[in-house]
Amino acid sequence: MAFIRLFWVFLKIGAFSFGGGYAMLPLIEEEVVHIHRWLSSVEFVDIIAISQMSPGPIAINAATFIGFRQLGVIGSIVATTGVVFASFFLVTTLAHFIIKYKNAPFIEGVFSGIRPAVIGLISAACVSLFQTSVVDMKGFAIGLIVLAILYKSKLHPIGIIMLSGVMGIVIYSF
Amino acid sequence: MKEYFKLFSIFFRVGAFTFGGGYAMIPIIQKEIVESHQLIDEQDFLDIIAVSQSLPGPVAVNTAVFVGYKLKGIFGAIAGLLGTVLPSLLVILLLAVFYNNIKDITAIQLFFQGVRPAIVALILMSALKLSKSISKTSFNISIILFAFIAVALLKVHPIPVVVLCAVAGLIHRKKEGEHGLH
């Protein structure tokens, strides 16, 4: 029963949190801290800290961590499956129709408006990320160096991430 | 089987290096799927980001499922999903076990202090590259500006912005049709 409840709670979180990332936090907090009391408020903040030190979507990280704490490794798999369950069905269903009717005038019209909007959305994400991620001149310098490298070379983003991390350790140690 | 493994391994890398929220995976997917392997063109990639952003759930997961489905059907979607989720699952399990020992290691924190500004630069370059795939018509430029201002300055949620822009696209196409243009 505990497994079913874990699955159900994370299914709800996955199905009702729009916008990804930090937009999912209030719903996760409500379910796991206030309703089910699986975590204290302090532990919840710890999870956010852990998510900032580890890769992947914050909802997946929270699901894995809470699932593990509640019911071990199987619990972490159950909670993570729950959180991606709705995504999987909604995305494959919608993708099916979008690919099938790609050339229908309606779909073409819709995406002719959405495509430029996405450029605007990504640029907007840059602005808000800049505000939270670039907190001092050292960070600003790292950002500028990375821009220069990206402009001059075709270094893979993973290479950039590793390099900037090392720069962080070097620059912030002094 | 080989192709499913390729999808899995691409999204495993995406999952393993997505730091700092859903948009951080855009530069890596762009590099792997659009540029290096040329599995999807930039216009389709923009469509996929829009849909992934508008549906519930983590954006990185939605994108992986959509790309996987588009390339290899339902099993491709599963391969993309597993690839994206597995790195998080493994890393978090390790962290959950050793959390009290690593919580305070300053080197890790400094590493991420360096990574965060780099992610901003990476996403900025992605936006610039993707903007090249769109023709510079006055309609497109006004939509880009509208979406940017609404989300960045007026703090409107992205979903109503996407819906409005979709409607604008429909109306615009219809008017073009009436004028006999394509």
Side-chain angles (χ1 to χ4, degrees), chain A residues 14-15 17-18 46 50 53 55-56 61 68 80 87 96 109 113-116 118 121 126 129 139 150 154 156 161 164-165, chain B residues 15-18 31-32 43 47 50 56-57 62 69 85 88-89 93 99 111-112 117-118 123-125 131 144 151 159 165 169:
Chain A
S17 48
F18 289 89
D46 276 351
I50 289 182
M53 306 197 276
N61 296 346
F68 178 76
T80 305
S87 280
H96 177 78
I114 286 179
R115 250 171 239 149
V118 174
L121 290 184
C126 266
L129 273 176
L150 285 170
K154 285 196 177 290
H156 195 287
I161 288 170
S164 63
Chain B
F17 286 92
T18 298
K31 185 79 180 181
E32 296 271 347
Q43 294 219 335
D47 297 353
N62 293 350
Y69 187 81
V85 169
S88 298
L89 195 93
L93 282 180
Y99 183 55
F111 183 89
F112 286 102
I123 297 176
L124 182 66
M125 284 306 274
S131 69
I144 292 175
V151 176
I159 294 172
C165 294

Side-chain angles (χ1 to χ4, degrees), chain A residues 104-124:
Chain A
F106 178 79
I107 299 281
E108 267 192 359
V110 161
F111 281 107
S112 75
I114 286 179
R115 250 171 239 149
V118 174
I119 309 274
L121 290 184
I122 299 174
S123 312

Side-chain angles (χ1 to χ4, degrees), chain B residues 16-67:
Chain B
F17 286 92
T18 298
F19 298 103
Y23 281 103
M25 51 88 213
I26 291 176
I28 305 178
I29 298 185
Q30 193 178 21
K31 185 79 180 181
E32 296 271 347
I33 304 271
V34 182
E35 290 171 14
S36 302
H37 298 286
Q38 297 188 330
L39 298 171
I40 283 177
D41 67 25
E42 283 178 329
Q43 294 219 335
D44 282 348
F45 186 48
L46 282 174
D47 297 353
I48 291 172
I49 296 172
V51 173
S52 305
Q53 163 79 42
S54 307
L55 291 176
V59 180
V61 171
N62 293 350
T63 308
V65 170
F66 199 132
V67 171

